[in-house]
Amino acid sequence: MKNMVKFLIHVTFLVCLSSNHFLFISSAKIHKHRKVGNAYGGGRVSENDADGSSATFNVLNYGAKGDGIADDTSAFEAAWKDACQEQGSVMLVPTGSVFLVKPISFSGPNCMSGIVFQLDGKIIAPRSSGAWGSGLLQWLEFTKLTGITIRGKGSIDGQGSVWWNDYSTANPTDDEADTAASPDWTSAEAKGGMPSTRPTALRFYGSTDVTVTGITIQNSPQTHLKFDDCIGVQVFGISVSSPGDSPNTDGIHLQNSQDVVIHTASLACGDDCISIQTGCSGVYVHNVNCGPGHGISIGGLGKDGTKACVSNITVRDSTIQNTLNGVRIKTWQGGSGSVQGVMFSNIQVSEVETPIIIDQFYCNGHTCPNKTSAVAVSGVSYQSIKGTYTVNPVHFACSDSTPCAGITLSSIVLSPLAEAKNDNPFCWKAFGELQTATTPPISCLQTGDGTTNDAEVDGEIVAPFRKSEWEKVGFQWILFYGVRNGITIKGNGVIDGRGESWWTAKDLDGPTHRPHAIKIARSFNVTVTGIQIKNSPKFHIFIVNTQYLRIFNFSTSSPDDSPNTDGIHISNVQHVKIHNSNLACGDDCVSIQTGCSDVRIYNVNCGPGHGYSIGGLGPNNTEAHVSDIAVFNSTVQDSLTGGGYGSVHDVRFSNITMTDVKTPITIDQNYCGGPKNCSYRNDTNAVAIRSVVYENITGTYTFRSVSLICSEYEPCRNLTVATIDIVPSEGSMGGDKEGGPCCENAYGRVLTNTTPPLQDCLLPEAVPLYVLGQRR
């Protein structure tokens, strides 16, 4: 029997690993489903307008002149005040007009959610110093809002040249945004120049579910677009434009913000195209064109002895040209904290001074004393960085006291231009691994940390055949426990768990607990490569309470009806890479349990089995947390597709091909596992699910293409789908023909046309269909 889900996010009442009879189980509660072609129409119904229209507040109707000369600030304030009272309203800045607006704040938190700022015209900043108060850090600000969207084909022009002309050029290499007034600025201000503090053009503060799309931001006095203390940010289809020598004009600046997606953007500026500062995690950047500028940067972190933490950052499928740096991590001496779980992948560089940089001795040109402490940098992956450079291809300058660890490089091909100053990569206290040969050779990278252990398996290891031969089983057969200085399990050998006797016989003549073939617990810096594990009595490899795990060129093999034989099962594991492997088993190819974060799964062939699974989470009212999971460039075939609390967020499934999968895309917050395990009580607790992306998912299904079943008490939020092409396979059971894709309490957006159509399946984020826990 073909099993189940491709992507299964189990949020469970009870964990039940045997699911051969489980197709789709909901609780006993009565639910309303949204399906393609149902009575909800396009899902664009507002709270106040049954016909689907939204209240629109045009700034021209509030006295705005739109001639680029008159001050339109009061008209914008009045239009916002009214729009603020209407959920899902639209504040319109119409096309064909130019609006001069002084510094302004569009503020919550008393505003309704889901407001759209429709920018089709042009907004310009004042050019006279008298229009600016002293010490303003931003020009256009949106604060403490929920579900705020800025969209349109219009532009925001900061008129930055009047600020840049006063800026001292005494330190042209200073790329650290510094709002403090320098003596040159103070002198200029005293002579009637612009204020010493240069403002950000567009800033969001303390907001949730923020979207910025379509617009152009140009010539900002300082940073163009900034996010502070925001959660759930989407930026796409925008353009940033300022001269390459405009000082400190970052394109997009992130600080203390989580769950951020930036894509399909063109960023040309005088500083970092994207700057990622302390407090940021779960940032995904892709399909960005950067240049001119200073590249894409994490840092500078730890200035003035501060603690800085950045984690789970991915930058991929982007181009960087004519920039000072490519992809960079920079920290000040004397700081503390960490940068971990970073991936730079498929980056094309052109005429970049130094494409790859880690600099733990960052100094902005002033006097910087030597200090021993440092922000730790670990778990940084560089994959397929290719192109040309003009100064140096690779520069790793790491701290003597806190060296860089866990650096991996593969498919690095960097060629010097004729004027390149140095062909030799530079490394200092940088430890990691070259996964493939590089051009030029990066021989300066030190392997490991000098203290790791190896376990090499080149022959065959077999388990006792009869269960009665086991004197004691503690859920594992081969155990690695408490290996804190690193271990590599490698070789060309086979580990055979001889699971047949466990799968078929009753527990009458031996231990009742089926063992895992390999268990790794409470360890650090673990690598598994080359070996094959087959026919495990239970999980083939089980990793728990471990950090920095890498599994590649690895295979599992067991029959598709072998019960609960997960290929790879991880629990409370952080910083994981699983790639270039073949996983065939009787349960989840990869099972991701609570406490896992920064997991990357790519170039994996899954099947038969139950696909890739996050869950089941939250059994028996337990708390569960999973974050920053990415599965991409993989295949699945012949595969199957709650009363806890906590969260699952920042999950991405990308570039997946599947064949004959029962239900390819699934979220199930009512997962149970069968009547014997569930009381069917109405439990109001649920593990929260948000910020899940499905993109470029193609293939065939045998029952239903999409099933997104979420809790009415804790709905799924910020789901995003794009480029989905899933069609019935031959001999399909016809689920979609009868009922269509099924969505329940699932909120999100559809970025492209999909097959099957999902636009009317997901609920729009701005229009919740529940009030105080009760559905309408």
Side-chain angles (χ1 to χ4, degrees):
M1 172 181 177
K2 287 188 170 121
N3 293 338
M4 198 173 168
V5 177
K6 169 65 197 256
F7 313 121
L8 176 58
I9 299 183
H10 286 156
V11 183
T12 72
F13 289 105
L14 293 172
V15 176
C16 181
L17 295 174
S18 178
S19 55
N20 285 340
H21 300 292
F22 166 61
L23 300 180
F24 176 86
I25 298 177
S26 178
S27 74
K29 296 175 284 187
I30 297 175
H31 299 284
K32 297 179 181 179
H33 296 255
R34 300 195 77 216
K35 302 179 182 180
V36 171
N38 66 11
Y40 283 90
R44 295 183 294 273
V45 181
S46 75
E47 289 288 317
N48 299 316
D49 299 295
D51 61 357
S53 63
S54 298
T56 300
F57 301 88
N58 189 328
V59 295
L60 292 178
N61 296 334
Y62 289 81
K65 300 300 183 183
D67 58 6
I69 300 174
D71 181 3
D72 291 326
T73 307
S74 60
F76 273 64
E77 290 173 337
W80 175 259
K81 182 178 179 181
D82 285 351
C84 189
Q85 307 306 312
E86 299 276 353
Q87 181 158 348
S89 65
V90 176
M91 178 174 167
L92 176 62
V93 181
T95 187
S97 297
V98 179
F99 301 91
L100 175 65
V101 177
K102 293 180 180 179
I104 187 172
S105 179
F106 302 98
S107 301
N110 296 321
C111 287
M112 301 296 287
S113 64
I115 298 176
V116 174
F117 190 97
Q118 183 72 35
L119 177 58
D120 293 324
K122 184 174 184 179
I123 302 174
I124 62 173
R127 295 177 62 88
S128 64
S129 60
W132 298 87
S134 177
L136 285 177
L137 298 178
Q138 51 273 329
W139 168 35
L140 306 176
E141 183 180 36
F142 292 79
T143 68
K144 298 181 180 179
L145 299 166
T146 299
I148 178 67
T149 296
I150 294 184
R151 70 185 185 195
K153 298 181 180 179
S155 62
I156 295 171
D157 190 341
Q159 309 265 35
S161 60
V162 296
W163 303 77
W164 309 329
N165 291 338
D166 287 337
Y167 185 77
S168 172
T169 58
N171 186 17
T173 61
D174 182 3
D175 63 351
E176 189 70 20
D178 188 352
T179 58
S182 68
D184 297 297
W185 272 106
T186 303
S187 175
E189 186 175 6
K191 296 176 182 178
M194 300 301 283
S196 58
T197 301
R198 289 176 297 138
T200 290
L202 178 60
R203 182 205 187 208
F204 292 86
Y205 170 75
S207 296
T208 302
D209 293 336
V210 179
T211 299
V212 180
T213 180
I215 67 171
T216 296
I217 310 173
Q218 61 192 40
N219 299 323
S220 177
Q222 194 163 262
T223 298
H224 288 77
L225 176 58
K226 188 174 185 179
F227 297 92
D228 282 331
D229 295 292
C230 293
I231 298 175
V233 174
Q234 294 250 1
V235 180
F236 61 96
I238 75 161
S239 175
V240 167
S241 176
S242 66
D245 59 355
S246 54
N248 304 142
T249 53
D250 288 354
I252 300 174
H253 187 96
L254 306 174
Q255 186 163 324
N256 293 319
S257 294
Q258 300 84 45
D259 302 335
V260 178
V261 178
I262 301 170
H263 68 92
T264 323
S266 179
L267 308 174
C269 54
D271 210 287
D272 297 328
C273 293
I274 300 174
S275 175
I276 301 170
Q277 298 293 314
T278 185
C280 290
S281 65
V283 178
Y284 186 86
V285 178
H286 66 100
N287 298 102
V288 166
N289 183 36
C290 166
H294 291 188
I296 297 175
S297 180
I298 299 173
L301 305 175
K303 187 177 182 180
D304 299 326
T306 57
K307 182 177 182 179
C309 294
V310 174
S311 64
N312 307 332
I313 311 297
T314 298
V315 180
R316 59 180 300 118
D317 305 327
S318 296
T319 60
I320 302 175
Q321 64 276 332
N322 300 308
T323 59
L324 184 66
N325 312 292
V327 289
R328 173 171 61 162
I329 299 172
K330 56 181 181 179
T331 69
W332 294 76
Q333 294 184 72
S336 62
S338 64
V339 177
Q340 57 187 12
V342 179
M343 174 185 285
F344 300 110
S345 176
N346 194 24
I347 310 294
Q348 184 69 40
V349 298
S350 176
E351 299 184 53
V352 173
E353 288 194 14
T354 307
I356 297 174
I357 302 178
I358 297 178
D359 183 6
Q360 289 187 282
F361 300 92
Y362 176 73
C363 179
N364 66 353
H366 304 297
T367 301
C368 300
N370 291 325
K371 297 182 179 180
T372 57
S373 63
V375 177
V377 177
S378 61
V380 183
S381 175
Y382 300 91
Q383 302 174 5
S384 189
I385 314 294
K386 300 179 180 180
T388 59
Y389 64 92
T390 62
V391 175
N392 186 265
V394 175
H395 184 89
F396 291 142
C398 300
S399 166
D400 294 79
S401 61
T402 311
C404 302
I407 299 173
T408 58
L409 299 104
S410 63
S411 301
I412 308 299
V413 181
L414 298 170
S415 303
L417 295 178
E419 64 272 23
K421 299 178 182 179
N422 189 351
D423 292 347
N424 298 318
F426 173 81
C427 304
W428 179 260
K429 299 297 182 180
F431 291 86
E433 177 185 8
L434 298 179
Q435 298 176 356
T436 65
T438 63
T439 302
I442 308 176
S443 56
C444 60
L445 186 69
Q446 300 180 64
T447 58
D449 60 4
T451 59
T452 59
N453 305 292
D454 287 345
E456 188 159 355
V457 180
D458 290 322
E460 184 172 5
I461 301 174
V462 298
F465 186 74
R466 291 179 55 82
K467 290 191 295 180
S468 58
E469 298 177 27
W470 296 78
E471 294 182 359
K472 181 180 180 181
V473 176
F475 291 107
Q476 68 274 331
W477 169 31
I478 300 172
L479 173 65
F480 297 89
Y481 183 88
V483 185
R484 303 302 298 172
N485 59 349
I487 186 168
T488 298
I489 304 170
K490 63 182 181 179
N492 298 313
V494 176
I495 297 175
D496 188 347
R498 291 185 170 183
E500 298 90 340
S501 62
W502 297 86
W503 306 331
T504 58
K506 294 183 179 180
D507 295 321
L508 298 177
D509 61 346
T512 59
H513 299 311
R514 288 183 293 139
H516 312 301
I518 289 182
K519 181 177 178 181
I520 302 170
R522 299 189 179 278
S523 296
F524 183 89
N525 192 17
V526 175
T527 298
V528 180
T529 180
I531 65 172
Q532 177 187 354
I533 304 176
K534 65 179 182 180
N535 300 323
S536 176
K538 200 173 185 185
F539 304 157
H540 287 75
I541 186 166
F542 178 31
I543 302 99
V544 61
N545 298 329
T546 292
Q547 289 187 315
Y548 296 102
L549 168 69
R550 183 171 172 230
I551 300 176
F552 65 101
N553 295 336
F554 168 75
S555 65
T556 64
S557 177
S558 64
D560 60 359
D561 59 353
S562 55
N564 309 139
T565 53
D566 289 357
I568 300 171
H569 187 101
I570 59 176
S571 178
N572 196 29
V573 180
Q574 299 84 44
H575 316 305
V576 179
K577 290 184 176 66
I578 301 171
H579 62 95
N580 299 92
S581 296
N582 293 289
L583 306 176
C585 53
D587 209 286
D588 299 327
C589 294
V590 181
S591 175
I592 301 167
Q593 300 292 309
T594 186
C596 292
S597 65
D598 183 25
V599 178
R600 300 290 181 267
I601 302 170
Y602 55 97
N603 297 334
V604 169
N605 183 38
C606 166
H610 291 194
Y612 305 107
S613 174
I614 301 175
L617 305 176
N620 302 320
N621 288 317
T622 57
E623 183 173 0
H625 293 281
V626 173
S627 65
D628 191 29
I629 312 297
V631 181
F632 53 95
N633 299 344
S634 296
T635 63
V636 177
Q637 60 275 330
D638 298 324
S639 291
L640 185 74
T641 85
Y645 62 102
S647 65
V648 175
H649 64 91
D650 193 31
V651 178
R652 177 172 296 269
F653 299 109
S654 179
N655 299 330
I656 311 294
T657 301
M658 61 193 69
T659 304
D660 295 342
V661 176
K662 180 159 278 187
T663 307
I665 297 177
T666 297
I667 295 177
D668 183 9
Q669 280 185 292
N670 298 314
Y671 176 73
C672 174
K676 67 180 181 179
N677 293 318
C678 300
S679 63
Y680 291 104
R681 55 193 168 92
N682 289 329
D683 200 321
T684 59
N685 289 336
V687 176
I689 296 175
R690 60 181 169 87
S691 299
V692 181
V693 176
Y694 302 94
E695 63 178 1
N696 296 328
I697 313 298
T698 62
T700 60
Y701 65 92
T702 61
F703 178 69
R704 188 181 294 280
S705 56
V706 176
S707 178
L708 305 175
I709 307 302
C710 302
S711 165
E712 64 179 303
Y713 302 102
E714 190 66 68
C716 301
R717 293 287 183 183
N718 197 24
L719 306 181
T720 302
V721 297
T723 318
I724 306 298
D725 187 7
I726 307 173
V727 299
S729 61
E730 293 185 10
S732 168
M733 296 172 65
D736 276 9
K737 296 178 182 177
E738 296 179 3
C742 187
C743 301
E744 177 183 316
N745 302 312
Y747 291 82
R749 68 196 77 193
V750 181
L751 301 184
T752 66
N753 292 330
T754 63
T755 302
L758 298 174
Q759 285 80 353
D760 294 335
C761 193
L762 287 177
L763 295 165
E765 287 285 348
V767 190
L769 293 183
Y770 66 95
V771 178
L772 297 178
Q774 302 205 354
R775 293 169 53 95
R776 292 193 287 131

